[in-house]
Amino acid sequence: MRIIGWISTMAAVCALAACDAPDTAKPDAEPSATQASDPAPVIDPVGPSEAEPTPPTDEYANSRPALDNSTAEPVEGSCLAELGRKEAETLSEQCYEMSPATRPACNIQNSCDTIRAELKRGCEFGDTSDNPDYCEGL
């Protein structure tokens, strides 16, 4: 019974694969007028020495949203409720500064453990020689 299922599956796969096969019924067909008259443009390759690096645009540089904890409420389980606003915001800002993520989990409404884990990940990311002092105790 398994062999029949396998064979029917393979037959279906082959049939579907044939749907994208090129039409070979007319091997001597002439190219259309647009194909014959419009050759593909030739693009000169640019070597690495010729290409100038372009600085990121302002839009790209500011694509990471700013950290905004101003509307955060101290809900149960949040770092804000656990540490208070001043300490939670300090931890959150350190996390945001070090995290390589586009949208890091550094919001003070997350648990302090979540924020510390993201801070630790950021402190261990890449070259750690220039890390701030607060990365040492993690």
Side-chain angles (χ1 to χ4, degrees), residues 88-134:
E89 283 189 354
T90 299
L91 182 63
S92 173
E93 289 167 3
Q94 291 171 350
C95 171
Y96 193 77
E97 181 182 332
M98 294 305 296
S99 176
T102 305
R103 300 190 188 281
C106 299
N107 187 304
I108 61 176
Q109 287 187 302
N110 291 330
S111 71
C112 291
D113 290 340
T114 301
I115 296 172
R116 285 185 186 108
E118 182 62 21
L119 175 59
K120 182 178 180 186
R121 184 176 85 93
C123 287
E124 294 172 349
F125 187 80
D127 181 15
T128 59
S129 63
D130 292 336
N131 281 356
D133 292 339
Y134 55 79

Side-chain angles (χ1 to χ4, degrees), residues 32-43:
S32 67
T34 55
Q35 289 175 339
S37 64
D38 289 338
V42 176
I43 300 173

Side-chain angles (χ1 to χ4, degrees), residues 18-87:
C19 290
D20 288 332
D23 184 16
T24 58
K26 301 176 189 175
D28 297 330
E30 294 290 324
S32 67
T34 55
Q35 289 175 339
S37 64
D38 289 338
V42 176
I43 300 173
D44 292 331
V46 176
S49 61
E50 296 174 24
E52 289 186 33
T54 57
T57 63
D58 290 338
E59 180 182 342
Y60 175 78
N62 296 323
S63 63
R64 186 175 183 187
L67 180 63
D68 183 16
N69 288 316
S70 63
T71 60
E73 296 293 325
V75 296
E76 186 177 340
S78 70
C79 195
L80 177 57
E82 183 181 328
L83 298 179
R85 184 164 295 275
K86 185 176 180 180
E87 288 183 48

